[in-house]
Amino acid sequence: MKFRKADPLMRDLRRVLPSDRVRVAPLERSIMGRDASIFEGGRAGPVCFPISTEEVQGCVDAARRHGRAVVPRGAGTGLAGGAVPLEEPVVVVATKMNRLLSVDADQRVAWVQPGMINLDLSRALAPYGLHFAPDPSSQQVCSLGGNVGTNAGGPHCLALGVTSAHVLAAEVVLMSGESVVLGDADGWTPGLDLRGAYVGSEGMLGITTAIAVRLTRNPPAVETLLLAFDSVDAAAQTVSAVIADGIVPAAIEMMDKNIIWAVENFVGAGFPTDAAAVVIVEVDGLPGGVAAEADRVAELAVEREGSVRRATDDEERALIWKGRKSAFGAIAQIKPNYYLHDTVVPRTRLAEVMNQVYEIVDEHDLQVMNVFHAGDGNLHPLLLYDAREPGIMERVHAAGSAIIEASLAVGGVLSGEHGIGIEKRDFMPLMFGEADLDAQARLRRAFDPEEMANPGKVLPTGASCAEVNALGKVPEGVWG
Amino acid sequence: MSSREASADLESFAAEVGSDGPVAVVGGRTHWEIGGQCPNETRLVRAPSGVRDFDPADMTIRVGAGTPVEELDAALAEAGQRANLPVAPGATVGGVLAVGRDDVHALGRGRLRDALLEAVYVADDGRLVTAGGPTVKNVSGFDLCRLLAGSLGTLGLLGEVILRTWPRPAAQQWLAGPCDPVNLRRSMYWPSSILWDGEMTWVHLEGHESDVKSEAELARSLGCEPTGGPPPLPAYRVPTGALEAGQPTGSYLVQIGTGMAYVSEPRPIPDADPAVVTLHKRLKSEFDPRGRLNPGRDPLAAR
Ligand SMILES: Cc1cc2nc3c(=O)[nH]c(=O)nc-3n(C[C@H](O)[C@H](O)[C@H](O)COP(=O)(O)OP(=O)(O)OC[C@H]3O[C@@H](n4cnc5c(N)ncnc54)[C@H](O)[C@@H]3O)c2cc1C
Ligand SMILES: Cc1cc2nc3c(=O)[nH]c(=O)nc-3n(C[C@H](O)[C@H](O)[C@H](O)COP(=O)(O)OP(=O)(O)OC[C@H]3O[C@@H](n4cnc5c(N)ncnc54)[C@H](O)[C@@H]3O)c2cc1C
């Protein structure tokens, strides 16, 4: 559909925003039709760039008057298709609301606008000796509003918890057009935990316009260990042994042979290319506990025939983390496309499920690399492929489904941090029964009775009302 | 269909709750009237009790919601672990979660609401509903567990839950003295609790032995001395904002860094934003349109 100036929706939106911030150029709309997932079926309507809460309210009011859905969007780095617009909704992009509003170092709270980039916040907090704990691998580009939308995680969420544990309050524009603060920046307010229900709602309950984030003190002592193993089993067992030993490190990340090789080629982080797997363990806190835990982790690794390298200074620590965080960039050398999966399994079942992943991938004649948050059992099998190869997508999707099923079979879950979006919407019935899905639909309706915010995501068709079914139907052939 | 099957205990709990008439769960009755009184005709039921599943290496535990928190704590202690729930004598896991009060250690250990990974509850229509998932990390669908913690059983009656557990630290120490709580917090790395009654400050340290020792030294240099434990919590919980606004009557204790304070005399707290009240009403009418679950209770009125 073409949007003309005379279009009544456009006329109303341009009453709210100057015309350079309501865009309908085909290029703009096509960029906004995608996120970082492989989903290609999106079609954006007018793309709005508000700079204030009032402007966001104005966009919502205009959309509602014209019976249009609204899709909130941050940086578009989501991997589940959460920000992919279906059926030409009004897209509200938060990237121009990117200011740090206030910092209270004593209360350990900062108010930020949703478009602020995750890493920019921690950089701005450095002078205070504070940081924002969730550090997704995409932290250089993803927005805090997006982090709230997906309840994002990161390597350092093992001990400290994912985004939800670090959000004290959110200012939200509901689909009624009202603005409301959920939670309280002081830390507690009587009543239901609306804040908690909102975090991770993938843009389906409202639009975040400001966030009060909890700030974490930088640890006085840090030890980073790079453990290398001859087998994936030994690596996974060491991860389980550390947890079972009563140690909750700040981070435990695992990388398997293929990705080690790719990363070494790419950045030269000094990872042993002859290892079957490496595990990065970071412990932080006060010096006594840190030293004791680092020693114990090293012991547990050696017991499983691992070799241990301890970072001797910040530079070496940074290099180890550079190796971990460049993983995605490194992959481009091998195949043009990848599909990054995200499931969680109980930590005691890691080795078993990883072995199944290798078998599944073999069966489908694909290549896989594993680089993931092992400490909380959060698997990220990365399936590599070349989309130009005929028939490849069927194999990629079949392997993906098998990985999801294998994870659920041992008591795991569909997603640890990327969310459900469109990607896993139709897998929801594998994990939840009818009554469970119905309960989630009730939460959605309590916030957004007309189901106007980001329709067609998360809840499979059938869990919700008929209109959404129509909207949520994924047209054939749109999976890239 | 869901891959998770309900136990016979849960099925019979659901049958007992049924699909008609006002019904409430009794826990240990330690906070029975918080948030309002149940009408007399309310049928009372008890949630299943007992530890169902505990693999210490996973650091999660599945228990019936009727399990006494002391029993939970004892089972975890055997494995050197604990859950982030107040171990209130007589109280049940379901009651503690429904009331949603944080332990005094929320500053360092985190919030009660974050302890809940999965909940199986009975919905208004008598069906069993599973919210969340069994693993320590999970973003599959909306986060109903956060909504259930502190909901006073008004959205669903908890039957069984999976909680995240943590290692019990090797050492711990309470100190108290007439020092400035803000300065104390600024100076210390990770105290698990700082309480302040307007004059005295209590601080709790836990962790590795040598760290607790060095932090205790630091606290002493700021005017605190070792003490046996925290003072008793005054009865009513209010947001710290209410403390600043109201005329002080009776005693109070502020839980620094958590937004919570406890007062000995109930005091008015600022009205919630009408939009927040509307969301509460809508949630109640979506989850319990006939108002049969824990009738008479209002989470907004819980003190
Ligand atoms: C290379 C790579 C590595 C990644 N690593 C991680 C990782 O380690 N951990 C992790 O958790 N994720 C990771 N991700 C996924 C992604 O970065 C996160 O999901 C991130 O939180 C998305 O932020 P965004 O600003 O890009 O949001 P978007 O993709 O724009 O949106 C994500 C969801 O949030 C909603 N949303 C966005 N902004 C708002 C708002 N203001 N109000 C309401 N809803 C909103 C959208 O509707 C959508 O449903 C990775 C992605 C890539 C490409
Ligand atoms: C000595 C003592 C010390 C305490 N110390 C602390 C402390 O340090 N920190 C703190 O925060 N709190 C403390 N508490 C309070 C404690 O958290 C509450 O007692 C507890 O929340 C109530 O549990 P209960 O099983 O007694 O519930 P009850 O009093 O029986 O019930 C309370 C409410 O919860 C509902 N409910 C109970 N079970 C369920 C269920 N399965 N599903 C749905 N709803 C349910 C009931 O219907 C009722 O509305 C203390 C209490 C005592 C007695």
Side-chain angles (χ1 to χ4, degrees), chain A residues 106 217 288-289 415 417 446, chain B residues 58 137 139 186 188 211 280 282:
Chain A
D106 278 338
R217 215 173 143 158
S415 173
E417 53 182 30
Chain B
D58 264 329
K137 202 170 175 192
V139 294
R186 224 181 268 146
M188 320 216 59
D211 296 334
H280 277 75
R282 286 228 203 100

Side-chain angles (χ1 to χ4, degrees), chain A residues 353-401:
Chain A
V353 179
M354 279 196 71
N355 285 325
Q356 286 185 39
V357 168
Y358 289 122
E359 280 165 26
I360 290 166
V361 167
D362 269 352
E363 264 167 41
H364 293 89
D365 196 17
L366 293 165
Q367 248 178 297
V368 69
M369 297 190 168
N370 285 288
V371 41
F372 64 103
H373 315 304
D376 33 33
N378 191 180
L379 293 171
H380 278 336
L382 237 150
L383 304 179
L384 303 180
Y385 62 94
D386 182 341
R388 291 164 300 191
E389 199 181 307
I392 185 81
M393 289 323 291
E394 282 73 29
R395 270 153 52 208
V396 169
H397 287 300
S401 304

Side-chain angles (χ1 to χ4, degrees), chain B residues 13 23-36 38 44-48 64-69 85-105 112 121 148 151-161 230 233 237 255 260 262 294-295 297:
Chain B
F13 176 55
V23 55
V25 187
V26 201
R29 282 195 182 273
T30 63
H31 268 50
W32 182 243
E33 289 183 352
I34 193 165
C38 280
L44 301 182
V45 296
R46 282 185 182 278
T67 311
V69 274
L85 255 54
V87 187
T92 61
V93 170
V96 166
L97 289 168
V99 173
R101 272 209 188 178
D102 287 276
D103 186 83
V104 289
H105 302 93
L112 169 77
Y121 67 88
L148 291 167
S151 66
L152 282 179
T154 57
L155 304 179
L157 305 180
L158 299 171
E160 195 172 277
V161 297
L233 287 187
R237 180 168 68 158
Q255 204 173 338
M260 294 180 281
Y262 298 85
N294 264 18
R297 321 281 204 208

Side-chain angles (χ1 to χ4, degrees), chain B:
Chain B
M1 238 337 269
S2 151
S3 55
R4 292 170 282 181
E5 297 298 327
S7 67
D9 262 8
L10 275 174
E11 297 285 4
S12 63
F13 176 55
E16 208 187 332
V17 171
S19 56
D20 255 325
V23 55
V25 187
V26 201
R29 282 195 182 273
T30 63
H31 268 50
W32 182 243
E33 289 183 352
I34 193 165
Q37 299 204 17
C38 280
N40 282 339
E41 68 273 18
T42 310
R43 208 153 40 81
L44 301 182
V45 296
R46 282 185 182 278
S49 168
V51 174
R52 299 277 180 265
D53 232 327
F54 177 41
D55 182 347
D58 264 329
M59 300 203 70
T60 59
I61 188 166
R62 181 193 293 269
V63 295
T67 311
V69 274
E70 289 179 298
E71 185 181 324
L72 166 75
D73 192 53
L76 291 172
E78 267 181 49
Q81 297 182 14
R82 67 181 181 202
N84 191 12
L85 255 54
V87 187
T92 61
V93 170
V96 166
L97 289 168
V99 173
R101 272 209 188 178
D102 287 276
D103 186 83
V104 289
H105 302 93
L107 176 64
R109 296 184 193 168
R111 306 304 284 256
L112 169 77
R113 61 195 183 210
D114 293 328
L116 184 61
L117 299 176
E118 178 181 295
V120 183
Y121 67 88
V122 184
D124 67 311
D125 55 7
R127 288 193 292 181
L128 282 169
V129 172
T130 303
T135 54
V136 289
K137 202 170 175 192
N138 173 30
V139 294
S140 314
F142 298 135
D143 199 355
L144 291 178
C145 283
R146 258 25 75 207
L147 197 59
L148 291 167
S151 66
L152 282 179
T154 57
L155 304 179
L157 305 180
L158 299 171
E160 195 172 277
V161 297
I162 299 180
L163 303 168
R164 179 171 189 175
T165 69
W166 295 90
R168 272 179 139 80
Q172 62 90 32
Q173 172 77 63
W174 277 99
L175 299 102
C179 55
D180 173 15
V182 177
N183 185 36
L184 193 76
R185 188 178 184 206
R186 224 181 268 146
S187 314
M188 320 216 59
Y189 172 55
W190 204 280
S192 57
S193 181
I194 301 178
L195 305 170
W196 179 66
D197 71 0
E199 286 170 15
M200 285 284 280
T201 301
W202 287 259
V203 57
H204 187 241
L205 307 172
E206 53 188 14
H208 190 262
E209 223 144 327
S210 67
D211 296 334
V212 169
K213 227 167 142 186
S214 64
E215 289 284 281
E217 273 316 309
L218 184 58
R220 290 176 81 143
S221 74
L222 297 169
C224 290
E225 286 302 320
T227 183
L233 287 187
Y236 304 95
R237 180 168 68 158
V238 293
T240 40
L243 209 59
E244 285 149 20
Q247 281 300 315
T249 48
S251 60
Y252 65 89
L253 193 68
V254 182
Q255 204 173 338
I256 299 292
T258 65
M260 294 180 281
Y262 298 85
V263 293
S264 60
E265 308 288 334
R267 63 174 77 199
I269 62 167
D271 285 338
D273 175 347
V276 166
V277 176
T278 305
L279 284 172
H280 277 75
K281 287 189 182 143
R282 286 228 203 100
L283 281 161
K284 179 65 176 172
S285 71
E286 281 291 342
F287 280 83
D288 183 20
R290 293 168 295 162
R292 62 180 295 256
L293 302 177
N294 264 18
R297 321 281 204 208
D298 176 6
L300 275 170
R303 296 290 176 270

Side-chain angles (χ1 to χ4, degrees), chain A residues 72 74-79 82 136-138 142-143 146-147 150 152-153 202-203 206 208 417 454:
Chain A
T77 69
L79 288 166
S137 310
S138 50
C142 65
S143 75
N147 295 164
T150 57
E202 302 196 36
T208 313
E417 53 182 30
N454 209 3

